[in-house]
Amino acid sequence: MSEIVTETSNNGIQNFEPIVRYQKVSKSFGDTEVIKELDLDVAPAEKIGIIGPSGSGKTTLIRMLMTLEKPTSGTIEVDGELLWHKRVNGNLVPADEKHLRKVRSKVGMIFQQFNLFPHMTMLRNVTEAPIHVLGLSREEAEERAITMLEKVGLKDKLDQYPRQLSGGQQQRVAIARALVMNPKIMLFDEVTSALDPELVEEVLAVIKEIALEGNMTMLLVTHEMQFAREIADRIVFINGGTIIEQGPPEEIFENPKHERTQNFLRRFNKKN
């Protein structure tokens, strides 16, 4: 796990300048409120494991950070900048697309589905965004892509197509594709849920290696509890769109204080 740089105030509470901040964030789909005035600060380089039952709002939480879902109310900040809003003459106004793109460029996301382009080789899948979004030359993009594919153990698959790879290998390519953009913050949304059980470990091993490098902020929505325990600096348990409990992994998994957390972990452990 990474070391979080903090400073301690006179009252003994540790403070940090968050790289991600949710303030009173709510999200509704029609009449259904899935996130309810949620507050969450994430420290630079911190690894957050987000757990909770299906439909609790976990995925919506990180999709808002990736600008795939717009908050109904509240604000989100990324690296000191408002994401969905701008300040104009002291007032909050909706951000334009240019502002969204600029702030969103600091965030990468790995999805449940791999979303690779089936007609492109692995190398092209990883180089397209650096060329068209970052403006790198093809030579620069390919050099960076090869480095990232080597990091995820797939340098020998550069010229193969998605159909020629296993699900675990495709997900590792998707991780390389996100890493090549050099984001400050990486989001993982149940990245092993679409994989056969025997392929899960190879993907988790790659994520663990990235986490151990220490300098990237990571928010991981996961049902892999042992993995979350090993990789996370903090576990956040969400239920009904609110944070019920949060704390160090050993505290949440060994001595959860809230009854909802206790019941969730008890039911989860029974199923597994």
Side-chain angles (χ1 to χ4, degrees):
M1 293 185 290
S2 61
E3 180 180 348
I4 304 169
V5 179
T6 62
E7 56 184 25
T8 304
S9 62
N10 293 332
N11 60 11
I13 298 174
Q14 287 190 315
N15 299 309
F16 55 83
E17 189 63 35
I19 192 168
V20 174
R21 168 168 280 176
Y22 294 82
Q23 289 187 295
K24 301 298 180 189
V25 173
S26 297
K27 174 62 180 177
S28 296
F29 295 99
D31 295 330
T32 304
E33 190 176 32
V34 294
I35 299 289
K36 302 174 182 178
E37 294 198 340
L38 183 143
D39 292 321
L40 177 65
D41 285 358
V42 181
E46 189 176 13
K47 315 302 186 253
I48 300 263
I50 302 173
I51 65 172
S54 297
S56 60
K58 307 184 300 295
T59 291
T60 300
L61 184 71
I62 61 172
R63 284 177 65 86
M64 289 189 292
L65 185 55
M66 194 63 194
T67 70
L68 298 172
E69 300 288 355
K70 185 177 182 180
T72 305
S73 61
T75 61
I76 300 174
E77 292 180 29
V78 175
D79 201 20
E81 291 188 90
L82 288 164
L83 177 59
W84 287 97
H85 300 84
K86 294 172 70 175
R87 288 197 184 275
V88 177
N89 298 324
N91 298 314
L92 283 183
V93 299
D96 54 29
E97 184 58 34
K98 181 180 179 182
H99 178 85
L100 281 172
R101 281 198 307 270
K102 179 170 80 82
V103 181
R104 183 176 59 214
S105 68
K106 301 175 184 182
V107 184
M109 186 166 177
I110 313 296
F111 300 87
Q112 296 176 22
Q113 302 298 327
F114 324 126
N115 299 326
L116 300 178
F117 296 112
H119 61 289
M120 293 184 182
T121 64
M122 295 304 96
L123 183 59
R124 278 202 63 197
N125 261 284
V126 180
T127 57
E128 287 301 290
I131 291 171
H132 297 293
V133 178
L134 300 182
L136 299 186
S137 68
R138 183 162 296 279
E139 183 179 3
E140 290 174 310
E142 288 187 353
E143 182 178 346
R144 188 184 290 193
I146 290 169
T147 298
M148 291 305 169
L149 285 165
E150 184 173 22
K151 180 189 284 283
V152 301
L154 292 173
K155 189 178 179 182
D156 60 335
K157 307 292 184 183
L158 299 181
D159 298 322
Q160 294 194 8
Y161 291 85
R163 65 180 181 275
Q164 297 173 286
L165 274 61
S166 70
Q169 289 171 328
Q170 290 185 56
Q171 189 60 287
R172 284 151 58 193
V173 173
I175 292 171
R177 184 178 57 186
L179 288 174
V180 81
M181 301 298 286
N182 198 28
K184 289 188 173 185
I185 303 151
M186 187 73 86
L187 313 177
F188 298 82
D189 181 22
E190 297 280 18
V191 296
T192 59
S193 63
L195 298 176
D196 293 332
E198 63 269 22
L199 301 176
V200 168
E201 284 303 318
E202 68 180 68
V203 173
L204 295 184
V206 168
I207 299 172
K208 189 180 296 185
E209 183 179 340
I210 297 166
L212 289 174
E213 291 177 359
N215 57 354
M216 183 178 287
T217 305
M218 298 168 69
L219 282 74
L220 304 103
V221 173
T222 184
H223 63 276
E224 300 285 346
M225 297 300 159
Q226 184 57 38
F227 173 69
R229 183 171 184 152
E230 292 173 3
I231 199 175
D233 300 302
R234 179 166 34 136
I235 299 295
V236 173
F237 173 66
I238 296 181
N239 189 75
T242 62
I243 295 176
I244 302 299
E245 188 169 355
Q246 58 182 309
E250 59 274 14
E251 180 181 304
I252 298 299
F253 289 116
E254 293 178 15
N255 189 31
K257 295 179 173 58
H258 200 286
E259 184 179 0
R260 290 187 193 178
T261 316
Q262 295 167 4
N263 290 339
F264 170 77
L265 291 173
R266 191 179 302 119
R267 286 196 301 269
F268 190 90
N269 289 334
K270 281 181 181 178
K271 287 190 291 185
N272 293 271

